[in-house]
Amino acid sequence: MLNLIMDLILTYIGTVTFGILLNVPRRGLNIGGWIGALSFLFYRLCMMANMGIAFANLVGALIIGILSMQAARYKKMPVINFNIPALVPFVPGGQAYQMVKNFALGNVSEAISFLLQVMIISGSIAFGFLLAEMVNRVQARVMLALSSRWRHEHRHNPRL
Amino acid sequence: MTNDQGHLMIKTALHAGRIMIENGSEVARVEDTIRRIALNAGYPDSKVYVTITGIMMSISGEENAQIEPVTSRSIDLEKITQVNDLSRHFAAHKIDLAQFDDRLTHLDQHPRYFPVWLQLISAGLVSGTLEVVFRGNYPDFLVSCLIGLVGWGVFYGMSQLVRVRFLSEFLAATAIGILAILAVKFQLGTNADDIIIGSVMPLVPGVPLTNAVRDILAGDLVSGIARGMEALMSAIAIGSGIAMILQAM
């Protein structure tokens, strides 16, 4: 439990500082950090419930995608300000490193098994983003049908 | 609507689009922004073709399309946000086209980066925190911070010097590998693998990778694949830098 809380604090710091490296505007840094920590919490909960690494990454990416879109609407900033820093804790850095190391040292079969893990993780992150995009489209449709104020605010958006 | 107005609109829209692509925006966003600028300037029917190496734009029913090449690419999300803000101001009629173009030029010439010391400290913190998150290795936190900081310093310095992103990444990864192995040899750290994994994190090509996926999903296949190659090249540069050191030492 203590470990989890510590990890969440570290994830927040890591996300915010990665945002600084990408030159994210100051007003977007804090909220990006929260998105990173929250999605990482759900990722860890899925891992604790033994749901498998692919599903956990998919859930994490899905939550990043949905929350980033809400943050982008709220702050009126492009969505990449939030979802790229928040994605950093999900990068399969450990597996990618093991892959490179095993290739370099000549253990090809082990390297290929790590390569497959990297592909599984990145694939599920991509599909998590795809699902999040779908959720956002559905949300836009629902809001369009229900709220006349929202329809007025977004009347120039050609994508709707 | 005179023709001059149309020329100014195309020039401004292409300028905005070029700044956005140069600084790491995805293609769909650039198309959207250009189309909105045209719409708000009174040309609802514009044709735009955007790739990550160039933009073409024309107004339907008028002659002369224009081309804007995109020669350099870096990452600066602040500029994308500011172009977005300017486009919003233009849509709300707070600024006119000429002012819009002036502000874009100003934005392009006066980038606002975080100070270098803050970037270095951030790189250190990214390395240390992610090393602990990925590997749970608390004793190596400080060493990872330090080596990540030096690695980013090498990357930053080489980027200023040679302006070839892949070369800077390769050299930074090499420096990280050497320092991590030396740190373990002199008993400053306990596990070279963990230190390297953490310290390489600031160099991860997050923006090209995410944009490649988003571009392909949005149907911009040409840009998506080009961007994917960019991310792959970065990953190969980092990986071969590390692999070389692991074999040599």
Side-chain angles (χ1 to χ4, degrees):
Chain A
M1 192 63 209
L2 189 68
N3 229 333
L4 180 66
I5 293 172
M6 201 62 205
D7 273 359
L8 288 182
I9 295 172
L10 291 175
T11 314
Y12 176 84
I13 298 174
T15 312
V16 169
T17 45
F18 197 78
I20 292 177
L21 294 183
L22 297 180
N23 211 13
V24 172
R26 284 165 179 74
R27 62 199 159 104
L29 281 173
N30 180 35
I31 206 159
W34 284 114
I35 293 172
L38 200 63
S39 52
F40 194 72
L41 170 67
F42 278 93
Y43 165 78
R44 271 293 158 87
L45 290 179
C46 286
M47 289 299 276
M48 280 177 189
N50 276 329
M51 287 182 183
I53 197 160
F55 187 77
N57 276 293
L58 190 138
V59 168
L62 177 65
I63 289 171
I64 290 177
I66 294 174
L67 290 182
S68 306
M69 201 63 208
Q70 308 306 324
R73 288 206 176 112
Y74 169 64
K75 288 268 181 186
K76 299 209 187 325
M77 286 159 74
V79 67
I80 52 173
N81 281 315
F82 306 107
N83 65 12
I84 293 178
L87 198 62
V88 165
F90 292 88
V91 169
Q95 288 88 340
Y97 171 75
Q98 294 293 346
M99 179 187 89
V100 168
K101 183 183 178 186
N102 282 308
F103 266 128
L105 301 181
N107 310 326
V108 176
S109 60
E110 253 174 88
I112 287 178
S113 93
F114 278 113
L115 173 67
L116 287 179
Q117 275 191 42
V118 171
M119 281 166 70
I120 290 172
I121 293 174
S122 24
S124 38
I125 290 175
F127 276 98
F129 268 141
L130 190 62
L131 280 177
E133 196 89 351
M134 193 190 77
V135 171
N136 292 327
R137 294 271 163 87
V138 170
Q139 185 206 7
R141 287 274 163 79
V142 171
M143 296 286 276
L144 211 59
L146 293 183
S147 153
S148 61
R149 193 174 130 240
W150 208 84
R151 200 180 312 152
H152 181 74
E153 277 173 9
H154 293 264
R155 66 191 180 284
H156 290 312
N157 193 339
R159 266 190 275 174
L160 295 178
Chain B
M1 207 70 64
T2 60
N3 218 1
D4 283 353
Q5 175 82 5
H7 276 301
L8 183 60
M9 189 279 289
I10 292 187
K11 182 176 163 240
T12 311
L14 286 176
H15 196 174
R18 178 169 61 78
I19 293 178
M20 288 177 89
I21 292 189
E22 272 178 0
N23 293 296
S25 172
E26 71 265 32
V27 168
R29 171 178 304 284
V30 177
E31 261 173 33
D32 186 42
T33 306
I34 291 182
R35 208 162 277 144
R36 278 180 202 226
I37 291 172
L39 180 74
N40 292 321
Y43 296 93
D45 195 13
S46 58
K47 301 274 186 282
V48 195
Y49 176 68
V50 183
T51 68
I52 63 169
T53 48
I55 314 172
M56 286 173 233
M57 182 181 187
S58 72
I59 307 171
S60 284
E62 292 191 28
E63 53 215 31
N64 297 342
Q66 288 193 28
I67 298 176
E68 180 94 19
V70 182
T71 48
S72 69
R73 265 174 302 284
S74 63
I75 295 159
D76 182 352
L77 298 188
E78 165 113 35
K79 273 189 190 166
I80 298 176
T81 311
Q82 291 203 357
V83 174
N84 195 46
D85 287 348
L86 285 175
S87 166
R88 278 176 191 277
H89 285 321
F90 180 61
H93 301 292
K94 282 185 196 154
I95 51 177
D96 62 19
L97 264 179
Q99 278 172 320
F100 193 170
D101 197 40
D102 283 350
R103 295 225 192 150
L104 285 175
T105 311
H106 183 262
L107 175 64
D108 210 10
Q109 284 164 355
H110 302 90
R112 274 202 333 173
Y113 289 111
F114 285 101
V116 179
W117 60 267
L118 188 58
Q119 288 188 29
L120 286 175
I121 291 175
S122 304
L125 281 173
V126 170
S127 311
T129 53
L130 291 177
E131 184 266 320
V132 174
V133 171
F134 286 159
R135 313 297 288 184
N137 185 347
Y138 284 92
D140 283 347
F141 176 76
L142 274 178
V143 192
S144 299
C145 282
L146 216 67
I147 293 178
L149 193 153
V150 175
W152 181 263
V154 171
F155 174 71
Y156 189 86
M158 291 311 291
S159 303
Q160 302 287 322
L161 204 64
V162 290
R163 301 200 168 276
V164 184
R165 191 181 159 87
F166 306 127
L167 186 60
S168 325
E169 278 163 346
F170 175 76
L171 291 175
T174 313
I176 287 169
I178 294 174
L179 285 174
I181 289 174
L182 285 183
V184 173
K185 210 167 252 178
F186 291 107
Q187 257 128 56
L188 293 167
T190 53
N191 189 333
D193 293 352
D194 292 357
I195 298 175
I196 292 177
I197 290 171
S199 310
V200 160
M201 285 312 286
L203 303 175
V204 163
V207 175
L209 209 60
T210 317
N211 280 337
V213 174
R214 287 185 69 110
D215 279 350
I216 288 179
L217 291 183
D220 299 307
L221 297 177
V222 176
S223 305
I225 289 169
R227 197 103 63 174
M229 278 311 291
E230 199 182 358
L232 193 65
M233 282 295 291
S234 291
I236 290 175
I238 296 170
S240 49
I242 296 286
M244 188 180 81
I245 296 305
L246 284 175
Q247 269 182 341
M249 292 177 86

